[in-house]
Amino acid sequence: MPVPQFLLDLLQMLLNLAVPAAFCTLAAAGVSLRHEGGTNFHVNGRVGKWVLWTVVFLTLPQLLSWIAAQGITVPSGSGSVGTSWLASMQNVFTNFVNQIVVAKFVPVLAAYFVLKATLDGAAGENPLASIVAALFLMTLSATMQLLQDWNSGGQYATTDMLASLWNYIVGQIMPAAAGLACVGAVINFVRHRPWTRLVYAAISFLSVSGLLTLFQAMAA
């Protein structure tokens, strides 16, 4: 029995909305950074969940191709939406995300977190969580482009993108974080405040890959 055209159009619309939905989940990850402290991801926290959903949305066609390769019939999602009102819904949502959420709302939200950072500092609280969230939101489009560049296009694109994200964090983010930790250790030493934990943190940041290899060898 052939699949009704309406269901094929609905599937195509959902696939076409995957990238706009990924923008929304990535923005939600940036907001969650503020709630989780900015520098530490909670176990089962929201940042990790939103980032995972972003990766899934960006690699949804490849994920469906893997399911089809296992012998499960998956309708083809290539082509355009033939049903006019479904096509209109797709265009409205896509334009809303691109023209309002990404172009207007996210920069305002980043500015709010910058203001929140100044208020946190004025109140004697740590402004770092708001600063990290603001930086993440201000680079939302560049982060999305980076994730899309990591899409291998194969059946295992989801795990390949997660692996590329891990390598980027270890190779780019962790060395920068280690440098900031060393600077913080020097400042705390001059101000006669606790500084050793920052040194240990810098060493740990620089040896994340080594620690992972050590744990894998211990578990083997």
Side-chain angles (χ1 to χ4, degrees), residues 45-124:
R46 288 176 291 182
V47 175
K49 291 179 180 178
W50 288 124
V51 171
L52 179 60
W53 274 113
T54 302
V55 172
V56 170
F57 282 137
L58 291 177
T59 58
L60 191 57
Q62 292 76 29
L63 189 60
L64 291 178
S65 68
W66 179 87
I67 295 175
Q70 309 310 308
I72 301 176
T73 303
V74 178
S76 176
S78 59
S80 59
V81 179
T83 306
S84 59
W85 65 274
L86 286 179
S88 299
M89 290 177 59
Q90 172 189 318
N91 292 333
V92 168
F93 183 78
T94 302
N95 293 335
F96 175 79
V97 172
N98 293 333
Q99 299 176 10
I100 296 181
V101 176
V102 177
K104 302 295 183 180
F105 180 70
V106 169
V108 172
L109 190 59
Y112 165 76
F113 281 126
V114 172
L115 174 62
K116 187 66 171 67
T118 60
L119 295 177
D120 290 339

Side-chain angles (χ1 to χ4, degrees), residues 74-177:
V74 178
S76 176
S78 59
S80 59
V81 179
T83 306
S84 59
W85 65 274
L86 286 179
S88 299
M89 290 177 59
Q90 172 189 318
N91 292 333
V92 168
F93 183 78
T94 302
N95 293 335
F96 175 79
V97 172
N98 293 333
Q99 299 176 10
I100 296 181
V101 176
V102 177
K104 302 295 183 180
F105 180 70
V106 169
V108 172
L109 190 59
Y112 165 76
F113 281 126
V114 172
L115 174 62
K116 187 66 171 67
T118 60
L119 295 177
D120 290 339
E125 300 177 1
N126 189 353
L128 190 57
S130 298
I131 293 175
V132 172
L135 290 174
F136 186 91
L137 291 172
M138 285 188 290
T139 59
L140 188 70
S141 297
T143 303
M144 178 61 67
Q145 183 61 49
L146 186 63
L147 291 174
Q148 290 176 320
D149 291 340
W150 289 337
N151 192 337
S152 61
Q155 297 178 4
Y156 302 98
T158 303
T159 53
D160 292 341
M161 186 177 293
L162 291 174
S164 298
L165 180 59
W166 161 258
N167 292 331
Y168 181 83
I169 291 175
V170 173
Q172 303 292 331
I173 304 299
M174 289 295 99

